[in-house]
Structure formats: C-alpha cells, structure tokens
Amino acid sequence: MKKEVIILLVLLLIPLASADLVVDTNTLNNFNLNDKISADVEITHSSDLSGFLESSINCGEYNYVYFVTPIELNANFPYNTILPGLPLTKDMMGNCTTKLKLKSSSNSILEESEFKTFTVTDQLNLISNINKQNLDPGETITLEGNVKDINENSLEGYTLTILLGEEEISTETKTNSEFNKKIKLDNKIKSGEHILKIKIEDGNENHAEQDFNLFISQIPTELIINLESQNINPSEFISITPILYDQAEEVIKDNVKIIIKNPKNKIILEKSITSESKLEFPLESSALPGDWEILAESNEFETEKQITVNELKSFTSEMDGQNLKITNNGNVKFKDIINIKTDSITKQKDISLKPKEYALIYLPGLFKNGEYNIEVSSNNQNYNFNNLNLKDERNAFQKVGGLITGNVVKENSTEGFFTGFILIVAVIVILLLILLYFKKKSKKKQSKSYEKELAAGKKYIKQQEKEKQERRKQKGSKLFFTAKKPTKEEASDFRNQMVKSMEEDKDKPKGKKGMFNMFD
C-alpha cells in the first residue's frame, strides 16, 4: 500500500540577501519502501524575482534531484506549489535527507534548506506466537499473529508463508492484519530441534520474519537385528548389531538387551549394548549344532532372529608324556578309527568321544621301546610327531589293565569313570560267585552226611517199634511190655554214633542241632 506524506515548507525571503527559510514538517521519521514523500511549499518575497525551485534527496551514497520547477515571485505576494510525491525505493534504504533550493535564472543558489531527515526501511512489524514448542510427531501447532507497517498501520494485503526448516508447508494471501493458522506435524518428522519460520511480504519488498524453535520427541518405532551371517561354524563369532529406529527411521542411541539361546533353550549370553553397536560372541568348538535364537529387547520392543550352527566332526592330537591325547574339539560325537602309523607299523584304535572329551592312548603299549616318527590320522585330519622316545614303564598290573582296556583310557568324561567302576564290580562279582560255589559244595557234602545219620535213626526207631508189637502179641491183653535189653555191641555202637554226632555239631553254625533236629 502506498502512503504519501505531506510536508509543509514555508520560505520567507525578506530581503533576498538576508532571506530566512522556515520549514514546518511532519513528525514521522520512519518509512517503508514505496511510501511517498511530498511537500506543500509557500514562498513570499518583498520584490519581484524570477528563478527556479529545486528539491533533492540524499540517502548515503544515493543523491537525486527529483523536482525542479521555474517560479515567478511577485513582491509581497505568496507563491504556493506542491512537490510531487517521491516513492521511496530500495536504493534509498537507510537515513535520508531532503533539501529545497531557490536558484536564480543564472542557476546561482539564492537560498537552501534541509527540510526533512528520516529513515527508509523494508521491515514490517510482526507479532506472533505458538501454543507449544515441545511436540510429538503428528501433533498440531496453533499459530496466531498480527502484522503492521513500520508506523503501526494495519496491512490489508500481504502473503503469509510458513516454513519448517527449509521445507515450505503453507503459503496464502491475507487481507486482514491478524491471522490464525493450524499446522499439523508429519508423523515421520525427524526428532530434535526444528525452526518454524513465519514470513510476511507486502508486495512492495517490505517484509517481516519470526522464528520459533520446536523440539520434536524421538519415538521408538522399530527394533531390528542385523547378522553378518546366519550359518556359523563352531569356534567362529556370532556378529550381532541391534538397531532401534525412531519415527523418521533414524537410529536411537539407547540400550538394547541381547539374549542368545542354544537349541536346548538354555541362555548362553545376556548382555546390554548400545543400539547400532556390534556384539561379537565367540562360539565354543563344542557349541551345540542346530538353530540358535537371538533375542533383542528395548523400550517395550522385542524382536528375534535365528542362526544355524553347523555340525563339526573334528579332533586334535597332542603328546602328553608317553600318552597320545585325542580330544574331540567338534560339536558332535566323534566315533571313528584313529590310525597311528610309524615308518613300518600301523595301529588302529576305535575312538568314541563326546564333545570336549579326550582319550589317552599309551603308546609304549602299542610299540616296542625305541625312537619313532608317528603320524596320527582320521577324518581327513593328520598330525605328526617326530623323534618320540617310547619306553614302557608300566608294572605287571598296569599292563594287564592295559590289555583289558585296549590301551585307551578316557578322561574328562563320566564314561571313563563308569567303565572303570563296572570293571571293578565285575571282578568282585566273579570272586563272590567262586566263593558261593565252594560254599554250596561244602553244604551239599554236609547235607549228605546228615541225611545218612537221619536214615540210621529212623531205621533204629522202626526196629524198636517192630519188636514192641511182637511182644504185645506174645503177652496177649497185657498192657505193659518188657524192653529187650540191648547187647553190649548194640549199646557200644549207639554210643559211638552219638559221640560222633556231637563232635560234628560243634563245627556247625549256631542253631544247628545235629541229626536230632528233626524233633524240634
């Protein structure tokens, strides 16, 4: 909008040589671009005068004569003229001064005066505010404001532009100096500080701007696990990189808990690391083959991935004194034939080892005393041992034990313990069976002697009953009988049998009563 400022200038020239210049000016000192400055001029002189009236503006390096007009002054008669409105341009920005000169016909300066000093600016007055500055993604901002010119006059036409950072989110033309605007944030807006910029332009290159600092929250939206490989061999590293993303798919540097479980659902590792950092977990050579589970937890987010640990059948071989140590350094049972080869002899041993188990093979039990170069091979693996000096230092019992176990002694396993235990139990059982056999044989012999005595006793009683019956027949109805007196031979024989029975009873366990225990 163009505005024109009228300045009243009165020049009193009485007389010419000592003329006075009186200027009555407007009180405004600041103007926007495209505002106009004009003036009403009145000159009175005591005599007639012909010449020129000249008006100029000086704004720093910008000097410009913008009005010249011839004049004819009559004595004591006022001369009135209007200086045309001068539009203020961008070249005039800053502090300016306007001058008025009265010149003669010969272009000599008769009188001059600075009639106005002012400032030209392209700034408008903008007052605005927002309802909040700390926001979550997707929230709505309420923007209110009012815009006026440099002299607090309301603007009736301007463009309102709103930018978020470098992105323009709204532009519209307003006809009222007051405005109200709703701004909805993107759900995927980046977190952190943002600048909300309000721009006003009036079409005359005057403008106003105001900035607001917005702080956008970082909201977790996704948790992922990156693995360098999902098929891993024992003794290799599981490389895990968890990443927690926010609404703008940018990384949140927060803690993430990593849990590693083996195929038996046993927790092998539980550790917290920072999002986007790498965790390298070394697998043991005996790590269970199969599917392992990798879990990640952070900010109520959980995710999981699986890796596959491959099967590994492998062994290592080393010397442990006079023993060849075979270790299962794989993750499955090593059941194979171990070839132990010298320059001229090859021995084979059946080995069955669980992961981490090892067996000791006493080499002097396989080869004669002497110095050897030995090659150990199995499962496409080879180990060489040179200049081994073998000397059998076992005693006789150890040698017999070596024959029983085949010179292979397992250690670091329960199987070796149970093998030795079973061997001891077997020996004890054999000894017990032998003892029971001889004891049973002795009892059988005693049993036959007892049966013989028992038969003799029964025969004697039977004989006595028979003689008794005969005597009853001879006596008829008599109710008594007279026992036959035994002969000396019979009495002596019976006495000898009783003595023999009593002596045998002394050697029997307590509770035994000899041949007469039948009457118990």
Side-chain angles (χ1 to χ4, degrees):
M1 182 184 72
K2 295 181 180 180
K3 299 184 292 296
E4 188 169 316
V5 180
I6 306 298
I7 301 173
L8 179 62
L9 177 65
V10 179
L11 295 176
L12 300 175
L13 304 175
I14 306 174
L16 180 61
S18 59
D20 293 327
L21 180 63
V22 179
V23 179
D24 186 9
T25 64
N26 193 289
T27 58
L28 295 177
N29 296 314
N30 297 295
F31 300 94
N32 285 126
L33 297 179
N34 211 45
D35 285 349
K36 287 184 178 181
I37 296 178
S38 63
D40 290 338
V41 179
E42 181 177 303
I43 302 173
T44 303
H45 193 265
S46 59
S47 61
D48 293 341
L49 178 67
S50 295
F52 299 93
L53 183 64
E54 179 184 292
S55 180
S56 64
I57 186 168
N58 184 327
C59 303
E61 295 181 358
Y62 181 84
N63 293 286
Y64 180 66
V65 176
Y66 69 91
F67 178 75
V68 177
T69 184
I71 60 172
E72 291 287 339
L73 296 179
N74 296 316
N76 299 319
F77 188 83
Y79 174 83
N80 295 291
T81 187
I82 298 175
L83 300 180
L86 173 65
L88 301 176
T89 65
K90 207 163 189 177
D91 296 332
M92 303 175 188
M93 285 181 58
N95 296 322
C96 296
T97 301
T98 53
K99 289 183 179 181
L100 192 65
K101 296 179 181 179
L102 180 62
K103 293 183 176 183
S104 66
S105 299
S106 60
N107 204 33
S108 60
I109 299 174
L110 301 176
E111 189 66 52
E112 67 176 326
S113 175
E114 293 182 356
F115 66 89
K116 183 65 178 176
T117 299
F118 56 92
T119 300
V120 179
T121 179
D122 61 357
Q123 294 297 309
L124 300 172
N125 289 328
L126 171 63
I127 299 174
S128 61
N129 60 78
I130 56 176
N131 61 330
K132 60 190 306 186
Q133 290 179 271
N134 296 306
L135 302 133
D136 289 333
E139 273 200 86
T140 298
I141 305 170
T142 299
L143 171 67
E144 295 179 339
N146 186 291
V147 59
K148 295 181 179 180
D149 68 9
I150 193 66
N151 293 309
E152 294 297 319
N153 297 310
S154 296
L155 291 185
E156 297 179 357
Y158 59 92
T159 300
L160 171 64
T161 302
I162 302 172
L163 298 94
L164 188 60
E166 299 297 325
E167 180 185 0
E168 183 179 299
I169 59 176
S170 175
T171 299
E172 57 184 300
T173 300
K174 294 288 186 179
T175 58
N176 192 315
S177 62
E178 295 183 352
F179 58 85
N180 184 294
K181 184 72 177 175
K182 301 286 186 182
I183 305 167
K184 188 177 186 307
L185 298 177
D186 191 341
N187 290 324
K188 294 185 177 181
I189 186 172
K190 289 185 177 183
S191 63
E193 186 175 355
H194 291 259
I195 303 299
L196 182 70
K197 185 182 290 292
I198 313 302
K199 293 179 68 175
I200 303 292
E201 294 181 350
D202 68 352
N204 296 316
E205 298 187 274
N206 297 301
H207 60 87
E209 292 184 2
Q210 188 171 357
D211 292 346
F212 297 97
N213 292 324
L214 304 182
F215 299 92
I216 308 300
S217 303
Q218 192 170 40
I219 306 299
T221 58
E222 185 182 18
L223 177 62
I224 68 169
I225 299 173
N226 285 336
L227 300 172
E228 287 190 4
S229 175
Q230 290 185 270
N231 282 281
I232 302 175
N233 294 318
S235 299
E236 293 182 348
F237 285 86
I238 302 176
S239 294
I240 305 167
T241 305
I243 304 177
L244 182 64
Y245 286 112
D246 68 4
Q247 69 275 5
E249 297 184 355
E250 293 190 338
V251 176
I252 299 177
K253 294 292 186 179
D254 207 348
N255 286 335
V256 180
K257 184 167 72 173
I258 299 297
I259 300 173
I260 301 176
K261 294 182 180 181
N262 69 11
K264 291 186 177 180
N265 206 37
K266 179 182 178 182
I267 295 177
I268 304 300
L269 177 72
E270 185 171 339
K271 186 175 182 179
S272 289
I273 61 173
T274 305
S275 172
E276 206 179 27
S277 63
K278 182 186 289 187
L279 170 65
E280 290 194 330
F281 176 70
L283 282 176
E284 293 184 350
S285 62
S286 59
L288 287 176
D291 292 333
W292 289 52
E293 190 174 14
I294 312 297
L295 299 172
E297 300 175 356
S298 181
N299 289 283
E300 300 182 357
F301 284 86
E302 293 184 2
T303 187
E304 64 180 68
K305 273 194 175 181
Q306 283 189 340
I307 62 169
T308 300
V309 176
N310 301 318
E311 290 188 356
L312 175 64
K313 181 182 178 182
S314 176
F315 79 98
T316 61
S317 180
E318 59 183 320
M319 290 303 299
D320 184 5
Q322 297 278 293
N323 294 305
L324 176 65
K325 185 177 181 180
I326 306 295
T327 304
N328 181 355
N329 70 331
N331 63 352
V332 293
K333 188 172 184 178
F334 185 88
K335 187 174 183 180
D336 213 330
I337 295 175
I338 298 292
N339 299 301
I340 306 171
K341 182 181 178 182
T342 65
D343 295 336
S344 58
I345 303 172
T346 299
K347 299 286 187 177
Q348 292 186 330
K349 290 295 179 182
D350 288 328
I351 296 293
S352 180
L353 297 172
K354 295 178 182 178
K356 289 187 176 182
E357 286 185 350
Y358 63 85
L360 298 177
I361 301 175
Y362 189 62
L363 292 183
L366 298 180
F367 306 103
K368 295 179 180 180
N369 292 350
E371 186 173 297
Y372 296 89
N373 294 326
I374 290 178
E375 179 185 2
V376 180
S377 63
S378 183
N379 190 44
N380 296 320
Q381 293 177 262
N382 294 278
Y383 296 89
N384 292 289
F385 304 95
N386 297 322
N387 303 320
L388 294 181
N389 189 11
L390 301 182
K391 184 178 180 181
D392 195 347
E393 298 176 345
R394 297 175 298 170
N395 56 36
F397 179 78
Q398 289 173 328
K399 290 181 179 180
V400 172
L403 291 175
I404 294 173
T405 61
N407 294 99
V408 179
V409 180
K410 284 189 183 180
E411 298 191 19
N412 194 33
S413 69
T414 56
E415 185 178 347
F417 169 79
F418 284 117
T419 300
F421 178 75
I422 291 171
L423 180 61
I424 294 171
V425 171
V427 172
I428 293 173
V429 169
I430 291 171
L431 292 174
L432 288 174
L433 289 174
I434 293 172
L435 181 62
L436 289 173
Y437 171 76
F438 284 106
K439 189 173 182 180
K440 185 175 180 182
K441 189 174 182 181
S442 175
K443 285 185 176 181
K444 189 174 181 181
K445 184 177 180 181
Q446 292 177 0
S447 178
K448 286 182 179 181
S449 175
Y450 170 76
E451 289 175 357
K452 185 176 180 181
E453 293 176 0
L454 183 60
K458 288 182 178 180
K459 183 178 180 181
Y460 173 78
I461 293 172
K462 189 175 181 181
Q463 181 66 31
Q464 291 294 317
E465 289 291 332
K466 185 176 181 182
E467 291 178 357
K468 178 180 169 183
Q469 289 176 0
E470 289 179 353
R471 285 195 294 271
R472 282 181 179 177
K473 288 179 181 180
Q474 292 175 2
K475 296 294 183 178
S477 59
K478 290 184 179 180
L479 297 175
F480 60 89
F481 68 93
T482 302
K484 180 182 177 181
K485 184 178 180 180
T487 64
K488 290 183 179 180
E489 291 78 11
E490 289 176 344
S492 178
D493 182 66
F494 183 79
R495 184 173 58 253
N496 292 335
Q497 289 182 13
M498 291 298 294
V499 171
K500 182 180 180 182
S501 177
M502 291 175 66
E503 289 177 350
E504 289 177 351
D505 286 343
K506 291 180 181 180
D507 299 327
K508 293 180 181 180
K510 291 182 179 181
K512 300 293 182 177
K513 299 181 181 180
M515 62 180 291
F516 293 105
N517 60 6
M518 62 177 289
F519 299 109
D520 291 347

